Amino acid sequence: MWGRLLCLSLMALNLATAALAQAPPAPPVEEELFLEVELNGEPTGLILRFTRGTTTGLRSSVQNLRDLELDPRLFGVEGRDQFDLDDIRGLSYSYDATRQSIALRVADTLRAPVALSGRSVRVAGPAAVTPGLVLTYDAFGRLDRERGVSVAHELRYFNDSGVFNSTGVYNAGATGTGPRFIRLDTAWVRSDPVTLETWQVGDLISSSLPWSRSLRMGGVQWRKSFDLRPDLLTFPVATLSGSAVVPSAVSLYVNGVRQVETAVPSGPFVINQVAGINGAGQATLVTRDTAGRAVTTTVPLYVDTRLLAAGLTDYSIELGVLRRDYTTRSFGYARAPAASASLRHGVSDSLTVEGHGEVGREVVNGGAGAMLRLGQAGVVRASLAASGGRRNASGSGRGVQAGLGYQYLSGRFSIDAETLRASGGYSDLATADSGAGARANDRINVNLALWPGHSLGASLVSLRAPSLPPARIAALSYAATLGAGFYLSVSAFRDLRDAAARGLFFSLSASFGDRIAANASAGRQNGVRSRIVTVGRSADYAGGFGWGLQSLESNGAPLRQGQLTYLGGYGQVGALVQQNGDNRSTSLSAAGSLVVMDGGVHAARQVGAGFALVSTDGVGGVPVLQENRVIGRTGAGGYLLVPNLNPYLINQVGIDTSALPLDARIAATRREVVPARQSGVLARFPVETYAAASVIVHGADGKPVAAGARVLHVESGASTLVGFDGVAFIDNLAPQNHLRLTVDGVPCVVEFAYEAAKGPALPTLGPFICRGVQ
């Protein structure tokens, strides 16, 4: 029996062993680790979860990369949950089981570079517009026998939909000459700072390229306006990159001038928008580590502001009629329609292509051009245009125009050369009014820096046009900075085709303290001698007087004049006295603006491209600051206009509260204002007058209430604490006031009257006895 049982047991054991042999192996057990992470030698302060198998290395979650501010896309694991550290090229690690830490070493190719800006610019912001109207005037009147007055004006209305602008000149001459008004330009303009597009309807100036001509039109224009983003660089600029092994200080110098000084973490970094030069130069990148060791890298640069950055497109399209007799007729327009268009596109940072076309009555004109940067050797420009149409009395018709130019700029040497040639029949839209353009226009300018502060220039210009005698002019100039504010310049020219056409000029200028400048010059041109001596002092921007004295002599005829000006918050006025031989004349001038905003009319200086109207809610005499500089005080109505602000950029405007009375309350003393172009914005600083006083409270025993006791002002519902000597500061006082306290466990009430303070300090009231109540 026992033998049978033993046999059965052995058979069962064999069957179990076979079954185990055929069953799949059990999955390996992963070990869960929470490790302190060090990245490229720097403690991160993070404890992250990793796993480790019995036969595999460490695994990490993709979220760990995000926590370490690493981009999963650079690691090639985007869209996954986990990955093996050993599978990532450029990633190595060291696992310390004793310290339960892991040190990761990540190559620069796996790290997104830290982006830095190579220039400091004012920040752009969303523009705000407060609807309003501006009338700008500039008047000049003579008081001698030839009495006359001339007033130039600009009328501007603006709101969120755009700007309506109209300009004109009113002249009233001497006796026998009637007054006359000439309208100059009238247009409505709407700009979009998001798309950088501008629409203009009315009078306009057509677009042009260096090898075409602009003309005045009446119609509609659609153009790109990069000036709506003053912080945007439209020309190609350099981008420098580097890497810091440890946290470092980075300095960028452009032509020896420091542009950037900042700290960067370990790893790669990139400095964008390396600007500050026009032409050839060099950028020097200095990286310093924590031990002070410096690594210097120098890179040559060549920047040409005429090029467009890769991908940028600039354009302008005009449709309308040509304008004629500008400044002599208010409505001199042609009848035939005309169209014009210009286009520029940055194909790359080294190549910009451009095109221009015109069409009008019996005139068709079109052409193309390109600018190519030759590495560090400068920029070459070429253009070719052709015209077609019927030949007319002005000589227009079919023809071809070609241009070729080269420019190289550097700190030591520069050259600018260009030639433009046109055949006899070449014409454009301006030919009918202005005549045919130049048939040959050649120029070459060379400048040489001799030593610091001294430069020498030479130029040769040749011009041949149908309406002008041919000219070939050579010129030579020398300029020097002499120190102590003195500057010297000497120039000479001669027409190589006409020996009598020549001239020589000397000029010495200097600037002194307190805004005083002087200039003395002498010269001779075509046999006529002239001498000019000028000295003057400009008015302070915050307001004040300015003056100027001038002595002129031309071919022996003397002229003396003196001028006095006053610049105030409401505009500028001036007086001028001239003595010409036995004749003396006097004239007066006035310039300023009238602004209609916020329900009132405000006199101000000429406002410029953008302005802000500061309001202190009727409080006058408050100093107003622009970029932390006092520019004036609010008037009796509590207003002051701040002119000449930068459109579409953040401008700092504020008030100085030191001039406010002690009972004045204001929520903010600074505001960031962003006016739109040709528009204004209201900057309100509400100034409130509040009633407050220091109230001395005594208990029933006549002693000051202990510090820390809570006081309730019944009329306002606000509570405060009693300070030392029983003094409590109470705000929002009423004519009759009640204070509730608890003194030594007994509730009590203080009752007192209040009248508004008249002095420079807040009043102190009391002492008052706190009388017990049930």
Side-chain angles (χ1 to χ4, degrees):
M1 178 179 179
W2 294 105
R4 182 179 298 176
L5 291 174
L6 179 60
C7 291
L8 290 174
S9 299
L10 292 174
M11 291 177 60
L13 180 61
N14 290 334
L15 291 174
T17 303
L20 290 174
Q22 295 177 1
V29 178
E30 287 190 336
E31 181 182 6
E32 191 175 40
L33 303 173
F34 290 89
L35 306 178
E36 184 179 359
V37 181
E38 181 181 284
L39 180 61
N40 286 359
E42 296 179 54
T44 64
L46 299 176
I47 297 178
L48 302 178
R49 177 183 177 275
F50 296 83
T51 58
R52 183 178 64 172
T54 56
T55 60
T56 60
L58 290 179
R59 292 177 59 82
S60 170
S61 66
V62 175
Q63 183 60 39
N64 284 351
L65 296 179
R66 300 188 181 97
D67 293 339
L68 293 169
E69 298 182 355
L70 299 174
D71 190 350
R73 293 175 298 179
L74 300 178
F75 286 72
V77 295
E78 187 181 21
R80 295 165 56 180
D81 293 331
Q82 292 186 336
F83 64 94
D84 291 326
L85 298 183
D86 295 325
D87 293 342
I88 305 301
R89 185 184 298 273
L91 172 64
S92 61
Y93 65 92
S94 175
Y95 167 56
D96 189 337
T98 303
R99 297 177 54 236
Q100 285 296 288
S101 64
I102 183 172
L104 300 176
R105 178 63 62 180
V106 180
D108 288 347
T109 56
L110 299 179
R111 303 187 68 179
V114 176
L116 306 172
S117 177
R119 65 188 187 118
S120 58
V121 295
R122 301 185 64 171
V123 181
V129 178
T130 302
L133 182 72
V134 174
L135 174 62
T136 300
Y137 60 88
D138 192 347
F140 176 83
R142 299 187 60 177
L143 305 181
D144 54 9
R145 290 178 301 177
E146 298 181 0
R147 293 186 177 183
V149 63
S150 176
V151 181
H153 87 276
E154 177 190 12
L155 182 63
R156 188 192 312 171
Y157 173 76
F158 48 87
N159 57 23
D160 291 332
S161 300
V163 179
F164 174 81
N165 189 293
S166 181
T167 60
V169 177
Y170 172 82
N171 290 300
T175 305
T177 304
R180 185 184 183 191
F181 174 78
I182 298 295
R183 185 191 66 87
L184 298 178
D185 295 288
T186 303
W188 174 82
V189 182
R190 177 177 175 82
S191 299
D192 189 342
V194 177
T195 61
L196 302 183
E197 294 179 345
T198 295
W199 286 89
Q200 181 167 337
V201 179
D203 295 308
L204 55 93
I205 299 176
S206 69
S207 59
S208 66
L209 298 172
W211 41 271
S212 64
R213 294 194 286 179
S214 297
L215 48 131
R216 293 187 176 274
M217 299 177 64
V220 60
Q221 182 182 59
W222 176 43
R223 66 179 184 268
K224 196 78 169 183
S225 298
F226 289 118
D227 58 345
L228 299 177
R229 281 282 308 277
D231 61 318
L232 179 65
L233 288 180
T234 61
F235 54 89
V237 292
T239 297
L240 302 180
S241 60
S243 179
V245 179
V246 295
S248 305
V250 173
S251 302
L252 173 65
Y253 296 84
V254 177
N255 283 353
V257 179
R258 188 173 65 185
Q259 303 287 338
V260 174
E261 178 75 26
T262 187
V264 296
S266 63
F269 61 87
V270 59
I271 301 179
N272 300 311
Q273 295 187 335
V274 179
I277 62 172
N278 184 20
Q282 66 178 16
T284 301
L285 191 64
V286 181
T287 305
R288 295 179 179 87
D289 59 20
T290 55
R293 292 182 293 266
V295 178
T296 302
T297 304
T298 301
V299 179
L301 302 176
Y302 194 90
V303 177
D304 194 314
T305 57
R306 301 173 301 168
L307 292 168
L308 276 180
L312 286 185
T313 301
D314 189 13
Y315 58 83
S316 180
I317 301 174
E318 301 84 25
L319 177 64
V321 294
L322 300 183
R323 184 165 185 182
R324 296 171 177 170
D325 302 324
Y326 185 72
T327 72
T328 60
R329 295 172 58 193
S330 295
F331 297 95
Y333 295 96
R335 295 184 178 181
S340 173
S342 297
L343 174 70
R344 301 180 70 233
H345 178 70
V347 179
S348 67
D349 284 348
S350 299
L351 176 62
T352 297
V353 296
E354 51 193 20
H356 180 79
E358 300 174 357
V359 59
R361 184 178 180 181
E362 299 181 349
V363 175
V364 177
N365 183 293
M371 294 180 62
L372 178 64
R373 189 181 67 193
L374 306 175
Q376 307 298 317
V379 174
V380 63
R381 182 171 208 155
S383 63
L384 181 64
S387 65
R390 297 168 54 185
R391 194 172 186 86
N392 54 39
S394 64
S396 62
R398 298 182 179 180
V400 178
Q401 175 185 271
L404 182 64
Y406 171 76
Q407 185 183 85
Y408 173 81
L409 303 176
S410 71
R412 300 289 300 175
F413 171 78
S414 64
I415 181 172
D416 183 14
E418 185 172 15
T419 179
L420 189 68
R421 300 298 177 96
S423 62
Y426 181 78
S427 63
D428 55 15
L429 286 176
T431 301
D433 293 332
S434 305
R439 298 309 182 200
N441 190 351
D442 307 316
R443 78 166 189 274
I444 180 170
N445 300 316
V446 179
N447 286 278
L448 179 65
L450 302 177
W451 55 83
H454 297 258
S455 62
L456 182 67
S459 63
L460 180 63
V461 178
S462 178
L463 177 66
R464 181 166 52 86
S467 57
L468 298 173
R472 182 177 297 170
I473 300 174
L476 188 66
S477 63
Y478 169 77
T481 301
L482 304 179
F486 284 84
Y487 180 80
L488 172 68
S489 65
V490 182
S491 61
F493 79 92
R494 179 177 178 179
D495 190 342
L496 302 181
R497 296 180 180 271
D498 184 0
R502 56 186 179 181
L504 178 64
F505 304 93
F506 297 87
S507 177
L508 178 65
S509 60
S511 59
F512 308 96
D514 201 20
R515 307 182 308 280
I516 295 178
N519 176 267
S521 61
R524 179 172 181 173
Q525 178 177 350
N526 301 337
V528 178
R529 297 179 181 271
S530 62
R531 288 194 297 268
I532 302 175
V533 178
T534 302
V535 61
R537 178 180 182 268
S538 61
D540 187 85
Y541 184 74
F545 285 94
W547 52 267
L549 299 174
Q550 191 173 48
S551 174
L552 302 88
E553 184 175 333
S554 178
N555 208 23
L559 174 64
R560 310 288 186 264
Q561 67 180 28
Q563 183 178 12
L564 180 67
T565 60
Y566 175 77
L567 178 62
Y570 300 143
Q572 178 175 295
V573 294
L576 175 68
V577 177
Q578 288 184 332
Q579 181 74 41
N580 187 358
D582 296 332
N583 298 324
R584 175 178 294 180
S585 63
T586 304
S587 58
L588 302 176
S589 63
S593 300
L594 295 176
V595 179
V596 181
M597 279 180 64
D598 199 31
V601 180
H602 314 281
R605 305 176 183 179
Q606 294 190 352
V607 298
F611 65 92
L613 181 63
V614 174
S615 170
T616 54
D617 282 355
V619 180
V622 179
V624 177
L625 298 89
Q626 177 188 358
E627 307 297 338
N628 297 320
R629 179 183 179 184
V630 177
I631 64 166
R633 292 175 177 264
T634 57
Y639 289 98
L640 179 70
L641 192 139
V642 182
N644 301 314
L645 297 183
N646 294 309
Y648 304 105
L649 288 179
I650 293 178
N651 300 265
Q652 297 287 342
V653 176
I655 62 173
D656 184 0
T657 58
S658 63
L660 294 175
L662 292 180
D663 59 350
R665 174 187 295 165
I666 184 168
T669 61
R670 297 288 187 274
R671 282 196 58 184
E672 295 180 344
V673 296
V674 184
R677 185 170 56 191
Q678 301 293 309
S679 302
V681 60
L682 178 65
R684 189 181 298 278
F685 295 90
V687 178
E688 302 175 357
T689 300
Y690 67 99
S694 296
V695 180
I696 302 175
V697 182
H698 286 183
D701 56 0
K703 297 181 180 180
V705 174
R710 182 167 296 277
V711 180
L712 173 65
H713 183 220
V714 177
E715 281 69 26
S716 66
S719 62
T720 184
L721 298 177
V722 176
F724 293 107
D725 300 325
V727 178
F729 183 78
I730 309 300
D731 193 1
N732 296 319
L733 292 174
Q736 292 294 327
N737 300 272
H738 299 80
L739 304 180
R740 290 185 178 179
L741 297 86
T742 299
V743 180
D744 296 331
V746 179
C748 60
V749 172
V750 172
E751 182 178 357
F752 64 94
Y754 169 79
E755 293 183 0
K758 303 298 183 182
L762 294 178
T764 299
L765 307 179
F768 300 110
I769 299 298
C770 189
R771 305 188 182 278
V773 296
Q774 295 297 328

